[in-house]
Amino acid sequence: MNELSGQANTTLQFDTDFPEVGELTAEQVSQYLVENPDFFIQHPSILETLQIPHLQKGSVSLVELQSEQLRKKVRLLNYKLSQLIGIAKQNEKIYRAYADLNLRLLTCKDVAEMLLKLQETLQEELGLASVELKLFKGANALPELQQRLFMEKRFKQGPYFFGRLSQHEKQLMFGHGVAESVALILLGENRNLGVLAVGSRNADHFTPDMDTLLLNQLREVLNVVLPEKLRY
């Protein structure tokens, strides 16, 4: 009997039939370390002896490997940042080119000078291949039948078309000019002035999902200036 408890002494007997605990798998160790990211902080002595094989460098410590991974991430982030800065600079260049073009168009004396300013900006400054201004009235007007063709086929959804034209349509709009993909802008408050046609050497440059913010501003300026020059 136990003098304190008044209970009989007993000896604990372990069940020898319990299954033995199996060896830990690599997946279990990996999962544990992921769930306990401060493990090596709590057990820093392990880092002193831990070695990880590396095909290019033989054997490196975990800290060295982590440092290399961090350096790679930093290089990748710097690369992405450089790309974003490049895009921002390109967007600024395009914005300034359009802003200057709008001002120049307001001072043009006739349609020929307007076309020249459009070509200087869009071809020489922004690197596009072809720029044409096809009017609906006047000596060099687009034939009425062709006007209806473009209105019904290309401008059903609005005053813009982005994409590719048939060979016949390219010939009508650009003659022998390069236009693998095009932007067509229908001019006139009543859609009755003409079409500004811009062609690119790149077949994927102009696509239906393009933003029209800057083109809207250009179209508004042309809608104001063109009727005065055409006298209608």
Side-chain angles (χ1 to χ4, degrees), residues 81-146:
L81 179 60
S82 297
Q83 283 187 314
L84 291 174
I85 292 174
I87 293 171
K89 288 182 177 179
Q90 180 65 17
N91 287 341
E92 181 181 7
K93 176 184 176 181
I94 294 172
Y95 174 81
R96 290 183 180 276
Y98 273 94
D100 291 343
L101 173 60
N102 290 336
L103 292 176
R104 293 173 190 169
L105 291 173
L106 295 174
T107 64
C108 290
K109 298 180 177 61
D110 52 38
V111 175
E113 186 178 358
M114 292 175 64
L115 179 57
L116 178 62
K117 297 301 182 185
L118 288 164
Q119 291 172 337
E120 286 176 350
T121 297
L122 299 178
Q123 289 181 249
E124 297 177 18
E125 293 186 34
L126 299 183
L128 293 165
S130 305
V131 178
E132 297 292 341
L133 190 56
K134 295 296 183 180
L135 302 177
F136 288 165
K137 294 182 181 180
N140 300 313
L142 194 67
E144 187 174 346
L145 179 62
Q146 306 305 331

Side-chain angles (χ1 to χ4, degrees), residues 32-72:
Y32 179 82
L33 292 176
V34 170
E35 294 174 354
N36 298 271
D38 62 344
F39 177 80
F40 290 110
I41 297 176
Q42 302 298 327
H43 305 82
S45 60
I46 297 178
L47 290 174
E48 297 176 2
T49 57
L50 188 62
Q51 296 288 321
I52 299 178
H54 195 278
L55 292 179
Q56 284 75 31
K57 298 183 178 179
S59 182
V60 295
S61 70
L62 177 61
V63 174
E64 290 172 335
L65 183 59
Q66 288 175 327
S67 297
E68 179 62 24
Q69 290 175 336
L70 287 174
R71 284 193 290 270
K72 288 181 180 179

